[in-house]
Amino acid sequence: MGLLQEKLSKFRLPQMYMEKGVYPYFREIDSHQDTEVIMDGKKVLMFGSNSYMGLTYDQRIIDAAIAATRKYGTGCAGSRLLNGTLDIHVQLEKELAEFIGKDEALCFSTGFTVNEGVIPQLVGRGDYIICDDRDHASIVDGRRLTFATQLKYKHNDMEALEKELQKCEPDAIKLIVVDSVFSMEGDLANLPEIIRLKKKYNATVYVDEAHGVGVFGRNGRGVCDHFGLTDEVDIIMGTFSKSLASIGGFVAADKDIINWLRHNARSYIFQASSTPAATAAAIEALHILKTEPERQEKLWKITNYALKRFRECGFEIGDTESPIIPLYVRDTDKTFLVTKMAFDEGVFINPVIPPACAPQDTLVRFALMATHTKEQVDYAIDKLLKCFKELEIIK
Ligand SMILES: Cc1ncc(COP(=O)(O)O)c(C=O)c1O
């Protein structure tokens, strides 16, 4: 056995949980995706999706994806730089720049590769990158690819951020990178304070709006818009895999930043461009966001209802201010067990364990869509309460 094989043959953690019958990953959906899905031949209420607007099975978006496939084909067989640019890629970039409120935007094939490709091109040797310690894995990977000095501060602790800024050479570029909505905890970055510190220390701010677009701001323009800080935030990225019912991602900024990234971001120039179907779907979803504000209203109505009920029932839900509701378990085995018990009761939730959270902060993540009904939420909360009590997570 080779050394690598020998090392990897010892990785048996997944098998251990499989043997216990609580392995929670790669569960298959074999129906269309909405608030109710079919898994293992039975109906399950879906509270694990990031499709906040509930648009994943919208007929208009499906039609747009089919029409684009018929017109352009199934793939682009090249990167944006060379042969992979379609007129609909350019259309989407223009519409996104206008929607987000920046000069220009670039579209990538996934949101992950926006962070991975853009961040390392913004800072280099002699510069600094400063991240919240709960930033998304794609930001962490982007940070790891830079030659800049890498600094981190305790989640949302603005005094800790200021201390990191004080460590930096005043004349060096200092890039602060944060999620606008933290994807597991559902709380918001303290953008007003981050912007105050940006101005005090002459820093640059990059905000990941993966979970902000659709949910916050005017017609879903995101958390930067919600705080009225779009102009102060230098770089905004987002993804199509959540509210925009597709796959892909974007970065929006001023003309000079975009001109630099267009010719240097490696995942933009060396990665095949996004499919016609994914691009057309995102365009259609964006149009729906702009013209159907009632979806955002519905999402907030059902979110506020669920938040109130979870609190009344005694769940520990942390500081969430969004449709992402963390139900803290604080024990990895119980997190898997409660995920399985809820699934058996017909409720799909996602387990969150390290490295997606700190070891003492394991949780199950309950996420809402605009299309969830009060009855579905009531059913899920009743079942979850039963499971949490059985495992003595709630006494
Ligand atoms: C905060 C954040 N940023 C970036 C990404 C990557 O986006 P995508 O999955 O669309 O590639 C995600 C995905 O989960 C995310 O939660």
Side-chain angles (χ1 to χ4, degrees), residues 59-128:
Q59 204 52 51
R60 295 162 292 181
I61 300 178
I62 294 172
D63 289 345
I66 292 171
T69 305
R70 288 203 196 288
K71 177 167 177 188
Y72 301 96
T74 47
C76 289
S79 79
R80 290 293 307 280
L81 183 74
L82 299 173
N83 58 299
T85 293
L86 302 176
D87 53 358
I88 50 175
H89 290 130
V90 178
Q91 180 190 341
L92 179 55
E93 289 178 342
K94 284 201 176 122
E95 292 194 19
L96 276 167
E98 190 270 327
F99 181 69
I100 293 297
K102 289 288 179 198
D103 290 349
E104 290 184 18
L106 299 178
C107 291
F108 290 59
S109 303
T110 69
F112 199 101
T113 56
V114 175
N115 286 331
E116 202 184 45
V118 168
I119 293 169
Q121 296 308 324
L122 296 173
V123 280
R125 225 175 284 282
D127 302 331
Y128 296 88

Side-chain angles (χ1 to χ4, degrees), residues 60-329:
R60 295 162 292 181
I61 300 178
I62 294 172
D63 289 345
I66 292 171
T69 305
R70 288 203 196 288
K71 177 167 177 188
Y72 301 96
T74 47
C76 289
S79 79
R80 290 293 307 280
L81 183 74
L82 299 173
N83 58 299
T85 293
L86 302 176
D87 53 358
I88 50 175
H89 290 130
V90 178
Q91 180 190 341
L92 179 55
E93 289 178 342
K94 284 201 176 122
E95 292 194 19
L96 276 167
E98 190 270 327
F99 181 69
I100 293 297
K102 289 288 179 198
D103 290 349
E104 290 184 18
L106 299 178
C107 291
F108 290 59
S109 303
T110 69
F112 199 101
T113 56
V114 175
N115 286 331
E116 202 184 45
V118 168
I119 293 169
Q121 296 308 324
L122 296 173
V123 280
R125 225 175 284 282
D127 302 331
Y128 296 88
I129 175 164
I130 312 174
C131 294
D132 184 296
D133 70 5
R134 288 278 182 282
D135 277 352
H136 188 259
S138 53
I139 296 176
V140 174
D141 283 10
R143 169 172 65 76
R144 286 176 177 159
L145 287 172
T146 72
F147 291 102
T149 301
Q150 304 183 18
L151 304 171
K152 270 194 291 185
Y153 61 93
K154 192 166 152 265
H155 179 49
N156 249 342
D157 181 337
M158 293 297 109
E159 276 176 31
L161 169 58
E162 182 155 19
K163 281 198 185 122
E164 296 305 319
L165 284 162
Q166 284 164 350
K167 290 181 192 164
C168 304
E169 292 292 332
D171 293 336
I173 295 171
K174 297 165 279 291
L175 182 69
I176 303 169
V177 187
V178 286
D179 292 18
S180 67
V181 182
F182 287 88
S183 55
M184 298 299 138
E185 295 85 357
D187 55 340
L188 304 190
N190 186 347
L191 281 186
E193 184 59 12
I194 290 172
I195 294 301
R196 190 186 71 78
L197 292 172
K198 162 200 151 135
K199 289 181 179 159
K200 185 167 171 193
Y201 292 92
N202 192 19
T204 304
V205 173
Y206 178 115
V207 175
D208 177 331
E209 287 272 30
H211 301 270
V213 167
V215 180
F216 288 89
R218 292 163 305 138
N219 288 78
R221 283 173 167 78
V223 178
C224 299
D225 183 83
H226 165 80
F227 283 122
L229 290 173
T230 301
D231 289 345
E232 275 81 4
V233 172
D234 303 274
I235 299 135
I236 298 178
M237 72 75 67
T239 87
F240 308 150
S241 64
K242 304 175 198 314
S243 289
L244 294 175
S246 183
I247 183 151
F250 70 88
V251 60
D254 70 33
K255 280 192 168 61
D256 291 337
I257 293 177
I258 294 297
N259 176 50
W260 169 257
L261 293 174
R262 196 194 299 279
H263 300 99
N264 289 280
R266 293 166 70 81
S267 54
Y268 191 72
I269 56 182
F270 292 113
Q271 181 174 226
S273 56
S274 84
T275 63
T279 309
I283 292 174
E284 187 62 28
L286 190 59
H287 292 172
I288 294 173
L289 233 61
K290 287 195 267 193
T291 53
E292 294 180 5
E294 59 274 18
R295 285 187 171 268
Q296 197 187 15
E297 283 159 27
K298 276 179 81 182
L299 176 67
W300 277 104
K301 207 164 162 206
I302 197 73
T303 296
N304 289 329
Y305 177 73
L307 285 170
K308 183 165 168 282
R309 279 229 52 208
F310 275 122
R311 286 202 178 100
E312 281 167 4
C313 290
F315 285 87
E316 189 198 343
I317 64 170
D319 298 326
T320 179
E321 295 177 70
S322 73
I324 301 168
I325 306 184
L327 309 175
Y328 284 93
V329 178

Side-chain angles (χ1 to χ4, degrees), residues 19-49:
E19 279 156 25
K20 287 186 183 170
V22 295
Y23 181 73
Y25 303 124
F26 306 104
R27 290 175 277 175
E28 292 170 28
I29 298 170
D30 58 15
S31 64
H32 72 261
Q33 301 166 73
D34 209 331
T35 56
E36 213 172 81
V37 296
I38 307 288
M39 302 177 85
D40 271 350
K42 67 169 193 177
K43 276 188 196 166
V44 181
L45 285 178
M46 174 49 74
F47 286 100
S49 174

